[in-house]
Amino acid sequence: MKMASRNLWRNVRRTLITMVAIGLGLALAMISIGLGDGGHEQMIESGVRMGAGHITVQPLGYQKNPSNDKIITDDALIMEALKDIPHVREVSSRIVGKGLISSAANSSGIAFRAVDPGKARDKSLLAPHLISGDYLAVGEAGSILIGEGLAQKLKVSVGKKVVLMGQDASREVSSALFRVKGIYKTGVSDLDGYFCLISLKGARQFLGLEQGITQVAVYLDSQFEVEKALPILRSRLGSLPVEVLPWQEVMPDLLRFVQLDDAGNYLFLGIILVIVALGILNTILMSVLERTREFGMMLALGLSPHFLFLMIIFETTLLALLSMVLGGGLGFGGHHYFATVGLDLTGLTPERLTLAGTIISPVLYSHLRLMRIFGLLIIIFLVTLTTGLYPAVKASRLAPVKAIYQY
Amino acid sequence: MEIVKVENLRKIYHQDALEIQALSGINLSLESGEFTVVAGPSGSGKSTLLNLIGGLDRPTEGRILLAGEDITRLGKGRLSHLRLNKIGFVFQSYNLIPVLTAYENAEFILLLQGMPYQKRRQHVMELLEEVGLKGLENRRPYEMSGGQQQRVAVARALASNPDLVLADEPTANLDSKTGLALIDMMLDMNKTRGVTFLISTHDTRVMDKARRVILLRDGQISSDVRIGESLAQNSASP
Ligand SMILES: Nc1ncnc2c1ncn2[C@@H]1O[C@H](COP(=O)(O)OP(=O)(O)OP(=O)(O)O)[C@@H](O)[C@H]1O
Ligand SMILES: [Mg+2]
């Protein structure tokens, strides 16, 4: 074993080059996994924030066929059932729907969302983007927030009146008057030209409801708790006429995008691994060929081929471990940098990034999960070991005489 | 006691379509404690003979008995085991493992045999002193002269107290003074330890030191002379 480690240092430059190659491969893989995962998590988080929570509770059949008359009437029962569930940080009840908004000048189809104006989480969504006016106030029913694009189309400004029209809970067409309380600008044209925010109270008046909601957005501590929380929620709400869906089912486009992007990243990782493997194969094979005579001599002395095989495998293992320490250090450094400072893509994108209907922050933060690192380390280790096998077998099959007398 | 008995040994190498008769019918017997030199011109089959006796290669025909055991019938693993325990090798060059020190090189075989540390250390230090390398234990091969390297190789060959030490042209890469000193050292070992040596060479001065000289020519023994018998007969042979 001492021999194996000394053998590695015999050709210091080659060993170092290989170590750097494996190390850089690992580091690159770690950074790319970190940024990929981090980016996806940010994307999902933002999708979840903009959308309907990590888990959405809505009337049975709403996902397939949404309509304004599908209402959860006994929302109090649901709110009661959602109390004190582990992993659940916050719930927000909403009424969502589609309708037609008109001003004196123009009209436009929109999607509206009604929230409790007192809920900080819902407020944090649009309040920072307000360019004029204010956020909805608690208690008022007739206020509406619209986007800049819609305001321009309708030729309205803060304080002006608009009429919202749509199918109510009893499938009749109803309308209600709203006053523009604020105008926001997110930079996402889908939102700015299409999405309106009103209060629950206002929505109930508009839809002719005494009570009831159409959706409960459940926010968890993190996106990784969905699988744990989902069955608990489902069992608690099992007796009610609602469907409990994870974000993956509510936002299938986002899921598909993340999966596709992941597949791309894996391909990239695969290529890195192949390059790393070739690098190792080259080093080990060269170093074995170079020592043919030496191995032949050792075999002649009575060293068992088995032992020689193990020695070369040990050399490879040592090389892999050293490289992994190097690469792990580099990769972790890179990851740490991108996790704290972030990768700023602002320069690359003239407009704000929107993907699958969600805003993506132009600064990407790396996030590495321990499981992923372990997986990666094991894969690189196995790749290294497998590549060491061929030279090791080759060496242990040497015929001593031929090896000694070859010049 | 008879250590080596070679009967009707033939070795044919196949090179492309060519058949090369390296050994054509060798009969030979070595007594325990003998110091024998195999001489002969280049290509006469010296290396081939030593390799076959050492179990490094297999003959085309014939038998080789080592301490009564026919080694031509042994499997690969048994042969390897036999080389480790019964035979010491000294090659012409590149004898030592470059990454190991003189001490570690001499220790190599004992390590493979699994001798305990204390015993091993004492034994190896003793041997290195005997071959005149006291104080150089921690040198790596490239820090030693050719002669010193060959001495380490001899120490290693002797470490396991083998029945037979085979040395194929151990002096070929040394200047003649160093080479002769190496042979003297081997003769010493032969005397004090009673180890059987079989050495190949084409250096006549090395032959002069031997107590038995076997002359090979074209794969056959052309003369086999023990010192004390007529030297004239030796030089008169063609
Ligand atoms: N592996 C081999 N393949 C083919 N022919 C070989 C092989 N090894 C040796 N020979 C041939 O067998 C013959 C005997 O070779 P050998 O090496 O035994 O001679 P030698 O007496 O040791 O010569 P030298 O003094 O040059 O070392 C030579 O003709 C050589 O060319
Ligand atoms: Mg030879």
Side-chain angles (χ1 to χ4, degrees):
Chain A
M1 300 307 98
K2 192 157 60 181
M3 271 177 70
S5 59
R6 287 203 197 147
N7 275 328
L8 272 186
W9 300 118
R10 187 142 67 165
N11 195 331
V12 177
R13 204 171 57 166
R14 189 174 56 204
T15 302
L16 280 181
I17 288 175
T18 315
M19 270 177 61
V20 168
I22 303 175
L24 278 183
L26 176 64
L28 217 62
M30 274 173 76
I31 291 170
S32 105
I33 286 185
L35 282 176
D37 282 1
H40 293 160
E41 281 156 27
Q42 271 169 262
M43 212 183 284
I44 291 164
E45 218 44 67
S46 117
V48 156
R49 201 163 30 124
M50 304 292 299
H54 292 109
I55 296 177
T56 307
V57 181
Q58 55 192 16
L60 215 53
Y62 191 89
Q63 185 63 27
K64 251 190 181 163
N65 190 7
S67 70
N68 288 4
D69 63 342
K70 286 193 174 130
I71 305 280
I72 303 172
T73 41
D74 34 13
D75 53 318
L77 212 62
I78 289 181
M79 298 317 271
E80 189 57 37
L82 290 179
K83 264 189 191 153
D84 299 325
I85 294 186
H87 315 301
V88 172
R89 197 194 301 164
E90 218 176 327
V91 295
S92 152
S93 27
R94 298 165 174 178
I95 296 174
V96 295
K98 296 207 165 100
L100 190 75
I101 194 167
S102 346
S103 68
N106 211 340
S107 61
S108 176
I110 52 111
F112 66 85
R113 175 187 290 176
V115 297
D116 174 356
K119 274 265 186 229
R121 180 179 279 263
D122 289 317
K123 184 174 177 180
S124 73
L125 191 63
L126 284 185
H129 298 292
L130 284 174
I131 49 172
S132 63
D134 291 304
Y135 190 71
L136 304 171
V138 180
E140 52 180 32
S143 297
I144 189 167
L145 297 186
I146 61 175
E148 192 195 29
L150 191 59
Q152 279 167 4
K153 189 171 175 193
L154 298 175
K155 298 200 173 66
V156 294
S157 56
V158 171
K160 293 285 178 339
K161 287 178 206 158
V162 289
V163 174
L164 202 55
M165 228 162 69
Q167 200 185 48
D168 71 6
S170 44
R171 295 177 181 246
E172 304 282 328
V173 174
S174 72
S175 62
L177 188 72
F178 287 88
R179 200 177 284 276
V180 177
K181 178 84 185 283
I183 296 174
Y184 66 85
K185 182 186 182 185
T186 59
V188 181
S189 54
D190 277 358
L191 286 176
D192 293 351
Y194 187 64
F195 181 80
C196 303
L197 196 72
I198 55 180
S199 68
L200 278 175
K201 203 169 163 188
R204 283 180 186 143
Q205 281 179 10
F206 166 46
L207 297 174
L209 289 171
E210 289 282 301
Q211 54 172 18
I213 49 174
T214 55
Q215 181 186 74
V216 181
V218 179
Y219 293 96
L220 306 177
D221 291 329
S222 86
Q223 55 188 271
F224 305 110
E225 266 111 43
V226 169
E227 276 174 33
K228 286 182 245 164
L230 195 61
I232 306 178
L233 286 178
R234 283 190 170 148
S235 76
R236 289 254 190 124
L237 299 171
S239 58
L240 299 167
V242 291
E243 55 192 20
V244 181
L245 300 177
W247 66 265
Q248 289 94 331
E249 284 181 53
V250 178
M251 298 180 284
D253 289 351
L254 181 58
L255 178 66
R256 250 196 307 282
F257 175 80
V258 166
Q259 283 171 340
L260 210 69
D261 200 47
D262 261 341
N265 287 349
Y266 284 134
L267 190 72
F268 177 63
L269 284 182
I271 294 171
I272 290 181
L273 281 181
V274 168
I275 293 172
V276 167
L278 287 178
I280 305 165
L281 186 66
N282 178 55
T283 304
I284 303 283
L285 204 58
M286 289 259 291
S287 78
V288 165
L289 287 179
E290 203 174 74
R291 285 181 284 165
T292 301
R293 196 194 314 230
E294 185 182 327
F295 290 153
M297 188 265 297
M298 291 198 274
L299 289 171
L301 292 180
L303 176 82
S304 79
H306 183 68
F307 196 93
L308 184 60
F309 174 85
L310 285 181
M311 193 184 90
I312 294 169
I313 289 295
F314 189 80
E315 264 181 59
T316 318
T317 311
L318 200 66
L319 183 70
L321 285 178
L322 287 173
S323 310
M324 272 158 56
V325 169
L326 180 78
L330 277 177
F332 207 78
H335 156 69
H336 188 73
Y337 175 82
F338 288 125
T340 47
V341 180
L343 179 63
D344 197 340
L345 299 174
T346 322
L348 291 174
T349 50
E351 262 187 77
R352 295 203 63 168
L353 283 165
T354 68
L355 273 167
T358 69
I359 306 181
I360 301 177
S361 153
V363 184
L364 224 55
Y365 292 96
S366 173
H367 184 211
L368 267 180
R369 268 170 288 153
L370 218 56
M371 279 279 293
R372 295 278 239 169
I373 306 180
F374 274 135
L376 193 64
L377 288 181
I378 289 171
I379 290 175
I380 296 232
F381 189 73
L382 288 182
V383 164
T384 312
L385 216 56
T386 329
T387 22
L389 277 179
Y390 171 67
V393 167
K394 206 173 151 69
S396 64
R397 295 243 173 102
L398 276 176
V401 229
K402 279 195 197 133
I404 294 172
Y405 288 93
Q406 70 150 31
Y407 290 91
Chain B
M1 190 190 124
E2 195 179 51
I3 282 280
V4 180
K5 183 157 182 65
V6 174
E7 291 173 355
N8 189 31
L9 199 64
R10 273 175 208 285
K11 177 72 182 176
I12 297 173
Y13 289 111
H14 296 272
Q15 212 169 40
D16 303 322
L18 229 64
E19 275 196 358
I20 303 166
Q21 272 247 11
L23 295 177
S24 36
I26 302 278
N27 289 289
L28 178 67
S29 161
L30 294 183
E31 290 295 317
S32 176
E34 270 193 312
F35 192 97
T36 310
V37 163
V38 180
S42 189
S44 56
K46 305 182 293 290
S47 297
T48 306
L49 180 62
L50 262 59
N51 288 339
L52 288 176
I53 293 176
L56 289 173
D57 205 355
R58 292 181 189 281
T60 313
E61 210 183 302
R63 296 207 306 163
I64 300 163
L65 303 175
L66 203 81
E69 190 181 16
D70 186 357
I71 66 166
T72 56
R73 293 157 170 266
L74 294 179
K76 237 182 165 175
R78 294 286 312 279
L79 266 184
S80 172
H81 188 254
L82 179 117
R83 291 200 299 268
L84 181 62
N85 294 295
K86 299 267 169 74
I87 303 174
F89 288 94
V90 179
F91 303 106
Q92 181 178 332
S93 55
Y94 300 102
N95 250 304
L96 305 182
I97 299 162
V99 290
L100 300 184
T101 63
Y103 174 83
E104 289 161 342
N105 264 292
E107 180 193 35
F108 185 70
I109 285 176
L110 299 180
L111 208 62
L112 294 182
Q113 287 180 343
M115 186 186 280
Y117 173 79
Q118 280 300 335
K119 202 172 156 200
R120 208 167 66 215
R121 173 144 191 101
Q122 194 195 340
H123 191 56
V124 171
M125 292 307 266
E126 239 174 64
L127 267 171
L128 284 176
E129 191 176 344
E130 272 186 70
V131 299
L133 291 179
K134 197 176 173 161
L136 303 184
E137 295 88 357
N138 293 321
R139 296 258 182 112
R140 297 282 181 88
Y142 60 86
E143 298 167 326
M144 289 186 285
S145 72
Q148 287 168 340
Q149 290 182 31
Q150 289 303 72
R151 281 163 189 264
V152 176
V154 172
R156 180 185 61 195
L158 291 169
S160 63
N161 291 319
D163 291 347
L164 173 67
V165 171
L166 295 170
D168 190 9
E169 309 210 29
T171 61
N173 283 0
L174 305 176
D175 62 66
S176 70
K177 198 175 137 218
T178 317
L180 289 178
L182 184 76
I183 298 292
D184 281 336
M185 193 268 287
M186 285 159 111
L187 272 166
D188 260 3
M189 293 300 208
N190 170 255
K191 261 186 217 127
T192 54
R193 295 178 169 256
V195 187
T196 316
F197 278 84
L198 183 61
I199 300 171
S200 81
T201 187
H202 36 219
D203 185 340
T204 49
R205 283 188 293 175
V206 171
M207 290 183 237
D208 291 344
K209 292 196 174 275
R211 268 172 272 135
R212 180 180 175 190
V213 177
I214 296 171
L215 202 63
L216 279 186
R217 186 165 293 258
D218 294 333
Q220 282 178 318
I221 296 182
S222 67
S223 80
D224 183 349
V225 181
R226 282 171 219 254
I227 299 304
E229 296 171 31
S230 162
L231 269 171
Q233 187 189 334
N234 184 14
S235 50
S237 64

